Amino acid sequence: QVQLVESGGGLVQDGGSLRLSCAASGRSESTYAMGWFRQAPGKEREFVASINWTGASLYYGDFVEGRFTISRDSDENTVYLQMNNLKPEDTAVYYCAANIYGSAYSVYQGEYDYWGQGTQVTVAS
């Protein structure tokens, strides 16, 4: 019932910044948390950040170390991931996901109900 489309990925230099967007369409009768995950080729998909329905609660993976910020717009139709001080290790496909009835503390892939197609982030040395 919810369709998610990521955008904003690209190629940046070490130390650069990107802002990813995830546009949601369709309706849901339920409130839902939103999350960002990432996956490098041949590696397990990794939790990055999540935000609750109202945007009041946020949670980040340990590797973020203050570099990333997740947010929602006022009508809660779009979620963002602002990424600063990017490192080559951040290179991955980044996915947004919706977790029906979820909280900001949902960190497991299996808890999310809808997924976007992903957007590529590449950080050059």
Side-chain angles (χ1 to χ4, degrees):
Q1 193 171 11
V2 178
Q3 293 79 48
L4 306 174
V5 180
E6 302 95 335
S7 61
L11 174 65
V12 297
Q13 297 299 115
D14 191 355
S17 297
L18 284 173
R19 189 182 73 161
L20 306 184
S21 299
C22 177
S25 61
R27 285 188 56 194
S28 176
E29 296 181 355
S30 303
T31 60
Y32 53 94
M34 297 291 294
W36 286 96
F37 292 77
R38 68 184 188 182
Q39 188 169 24
K43 291 194 171 182
E44 182 180 353
R45 193 168 296 185
E46 179 181 29
F47 172 77
V48 177
S50 55
I51 188 166
N52 77 337
W53 175 246
T54 67
S57 297
L58 315 174
Y59 191 66
Y60 296 96
D62 290 341
F63 73 89
V64 168
E65 299 177 341
R67 298 180 299 129
F68 299 174
T69 303
I70 188 171
S71 61
R72 308 182 81 137
D73 67 9
S74 58
D75 64 6
E76 301 179 340
N77 193 49
T78 304
V79 65
Y80 303 96
L81 185 69
Q82 177 67 46
M83 304 188 294
N84 299 321
N85 193 23
L86 284 161
K87 302 182 290 184
E89 307 92 271
D90 297 316
T91 295
V93 176
Y94 284 70
Y95 299 89
C96 69
N99 180 2
I100 306 302
Y101 297 120
S103 75
Y105 300 96
S106 297
V107 303
Y108 302 107
Q109 296 180 60
E111 296 179 315
Y112 288 80
D113 303 286
Y114 302 97
W115 292 82
Q117 84 289 350
T119 185
Q120 177 70 48
V121 171
T122 303
V123 185
S125 299

